[in-house]
Amino acid sequence: AYAHEHFAAEERWMRELGYPSIEEHRAEHRRFLDVLEARWRGGPQYHVKSLPLASWLVRWLEEHVQRTDGAAARFAAAAATATGAAGASA
């Protein structure tokens, strides 16, 4: 539930921003949710308190935040800088 809400809010922000790689980002979110659901259905050894699932979650989150979310953040910062520069010269 939380992941769905978080991803939806993040995707709305990217859409409003005009982020050009939004579809790739959304696909990564969908793959994450698909894998998480499959692991959850795989049995108790894959549930949240299990080491394999916890390890996978940590690795995925680190990678996603640094690489994918980082790219969106850099785009947003560049857009804000460009907007500020355009406003300053007006």
Side-chain angles (χ1 to χ4, degrees):
Y2 172 78
H4 288 280
E5 293 171 19
H6 173 80
F7 291 160
E10 189 175 272
E11 291 164 12
R12 273 192 305 277
W13 170 75
M14 288 186 287
R15 211 173 16 262
E16 291 167 4
L17 186 62
Y19 183 54
S21 299
I22 187 172
E23 288 309 316
E24 293 88 350
H25 202 115
R26 288 183 72 216
E28 190 169 313
H29 288 166
R30 283 190 302 274
R31 283 191 302 274
F32 169 83
L33 294 171
D34 289 347
V35 169
L36 185 60
E37 184 178 330
R39 286 179 176 236
W40 184 260
R41 282 193 317 255
Q45 71 273 21
Y46 292 112
H47 290 182
V48 174
K49 292 183 180 178
S50 77
L51 188 56
L53 181 58
S55 296
W56 174 78
L57 282 169
V58 168
R59 281 191 314 275
W60 188 89
L61 286 169
E62 287 175 344
E63 168 84 13
H64 181 77
V65 168
Q66 290 175 3
R67 185 181 49 81
T68 312
D69 287 346
R74 287 186 295 279
F75 178 85
T81 300
T83 302
S89 64

